Amino acid sequence: MNMGKNLPNFLIVGGRKCATTSLYRYLQQHPDIFMPQVKEPHFFIQPKSIIGQGPGKLGKNLIDTINDYEALFSASECPVNGEASVGYLYFYKESIPLIQKYLQDPK
């Protein structure tokens, strides 16, 4: 059910303080990879009531709707699209079903 052609086909879900921001920034520089300007939108963490819990107190760049999530990638003309949200690692029980629903089988 990959709704938009530009939705991510890979996710960065590493732990906090494990160079995920560096990896995100390096990938942004690659001409064939699109990484949205918003890092850590946490779209696949639902319900949002768990925000503010767990490591790092997630919450800065929350994206709540699929339309807003798709908009993050609307400018992409790249064959590879990625997203980085470390919260998916910590809240994997909530995230995995939504990732499978919207992205099918991303790397």
Side-chain angles (χ1 to χ4, degrees), residues 6-65:
N6 296 332
L7 286 179
N9 41 29
F10 78 92
L11 301 169
I12 299 172
V13 295
R16 293 181 59 235
K17 303 297 182 192
C18 291
T20 56
T21 299
S22 294
L23 178 59
Y24 165 81
R25 290 183 180 149
Y26 296 143
L27 292 172
Q28 276 186 314
Q29 297 173 36
H30 194 286
D32 294 327
I33 298 174
F34 180 84
M35 300 294 289
Q37 292 300 312
V38 174
K39 182 179 178 277
E40 300 192 13
H42 304 296
F43 174 70
F44 298 112
I45 300 174
Q46 302 284 341
K48 297 301 185 204
S49 62
I50 63 174
I51 301 303
Q53 300 177 27
K57 305 267 191 245
L58 309 175
K60 182 178 165 190
N61 297 317
L62 296 180
I63 300 295
D64 290 310
T65 68

Side-chain angles (χ1 to χ4, degrees), residues 13 24 58 66 78 86 99 101:
V13 295
Y24 165 81
L58 309 175
I66 187 62
C78 295
V86 298
I99 290 168
K101 176 181 177 181

